[in-house]
Amino acid sequence: MSIVKEDLLSISPDELAPAATEAKAETIGVTKASMGGAKCFVSAMLAGAFIGFGAMYFCTFLGDTTMAFGAQRLIGGLCFCLGLCLVLCCGAELFTGNVLMACAKASGKISFGGMFRNWGIVWVGNLAGSLLAMAIVYLSNLQGMNGGEVGNAFVSVAAGKVALEPVTLFFKAVLCNILVCLAVWIGFSSKTTADKVLGILLPISAFVACGFEHCVANMFFLPMGLVLNGVGFGAAGAVTLGGVAYNLVLATAGNIVGGLLVGLAYWFVYHKKQGK
């Protein structure tokens, strides 16, 4: 029996070529736009919880206050990669990655309504999943580890995020989702779990080490910091509800811009128009 070219490509260990990756991004965008609301919401809750687990791992590591700055940022960034590894390998709807649906919209395969509907459901679902994960982590008393230093780390991270100037916060969010969407793009091109995990490590650990702003991660970091600050961790009043809302609004806007820069650039370069 002869094997056609498509069969050989499907079993090849090599990653997809850039044009094939862009075509796959469009196909994925169409699938996401047509997903049922309930399934989309629950899948988004999973992604919110997964990113929260990465944030939990990151702050647990930051609870060691004796480590040098560079080593702490590098290893903490690698710890945070847990979140996107779970999203890409286990399957879940992540708002920041779904900005890449713009490829399918640019090709006319989905409507603005379908794209914005997905973004809205996924954003709210990510928030719900993050809050659920936060509640479970809080009740586990993870914050009490290392004499309460883990709890102080959560508050310190959150306090730093709500204190950012608007322009700084916005562009930190743009840079963040450039790196996140590049990691997701690597995931699209990958054919094995090992490819996805290895491809994620550098861009995701880079955005974390550099202190960039990811709205879904902040859905875990900021409420956790707010609650822990309210029960006595960190300086009184370091994290406020208004500060949480301020950060999430600007981080979301910046993440959208960063994701559009990646998706539309690759669409422009590699999109192949179909013949009539």
Side-chain angles (χ1 to χ4, degrees):
M1 180 182 294
S2 62
I3 301 178
V4 298
K5 183 178 179 181
E6 289 76 11
D7 293 328
L8 289 172
L9 287 173
S10 69
I11 62 175
S12 169
D14 296 333
E15 73 280 0
L16 294 178
T21 303
E22 194 283 326
K24 183 176 179 180
E26 292 185 21
T27 300
I28 291 172
V30 172
T31 301
K32 289 178 181 294
S34 62
M35 184 180 292
K39 290 184 177 181
C40 185
F41 184 80
V42 173
S43 184
M45 285 189 67
L46 288 172
F50 292 163
I51 297 298
F53 293 154
M56 170 193 72
Y57 196 8
F58 172 71
C59 279
T60 302
F61 186 83
L62 292 190
D64 180 0
T65 58
T66 64
M67 185 164 288
F69 173 80
Q72 187 183 66
R73 303 304 295 183
L74 172 62
I75 302 174
L78 292 172
C79 290
F80 185 86
C81 291
L82 167 67
L84 197 63
C85 285
L86 292 174
V87 170
L88 289 186
C89 296
C90 299
E93 293 294 303
L94 181 65
F95 173 79
T96 46
N98 282 16
V99 176
L100 291 173
M101 291 172 66
C103 293
K105 176 64 193 78
S107 293
K109 295 180 178 178
I110 62 174
S111 65
F112 275 118
M115 184 173 72
F116 291 147
R117 169 184 172 275
N118 176 275
W119 287 4
I121 293 172
V122 170
W123 195 96
V124 175
N126 287 168
L127 177 62
S130 296
L131 293 176
L132 177 60
M134 184 214 77
I136 294 170
V137 171
Y138 176 80
L139 292 172
S140 76
N141 195 33
L142 180 79
Q143 61 272 14
M145 292 180 68
N146 196 24
E149 289 297 337
V150 171
N152 290 330
F154 273 113
V155 174
S156 176
V157 168
K161 290 177 177 297
V162 300
L164 292 169
E165 293 295 324
V167 173
T168 300
L169 171 55
F170 178 81
F171 283 101
K172 278 179 174 283
V174 172
L175 285 166
C176 171
N177 213 30
I178 288 174
L179 290 170
V180 169
C181 284
L182 288 172
V184 172
W185 202 265
I186 292 171
F188 287 168
S189 73
S190 301
K191 294 188 177 180
T192 69
T193 300
D195 290 344
K196 290 181 180 180
V197 172
L198 290 173
I200 286 167
L201 293 181
L202 287 178
I204 299 302
S205 63
F207 104 66
V208 176
C210 293
F212 297 154
E213 296 294 309
H214 187 269
C215 67
V216 181
N218 290 358
M219 292 172 183
F220 182 93
F221 280 129
L222 298 181
M224 189 69 166
L226 178 66
V227 169
L228 292 178
N229 193 220
V231 298
F233 288 89
V239 187
T240 65
L241 186 59
V244 172
Y246 155 77
N247 179 282
L248 289 180
V249 169
L250 282 180
T252 298
N255 287 165
I256 291 172
V257 172
L260 290 177
L261 288 174
V262 173
L264 295 180
Y266 276 112
W267 176 85
F268 177 78
V269 174
Y270 290 111
H271 171 69
K272 182 177 180 181
K273 293 183 179 179
Q274 302 297 317
K276 293 184 180 180

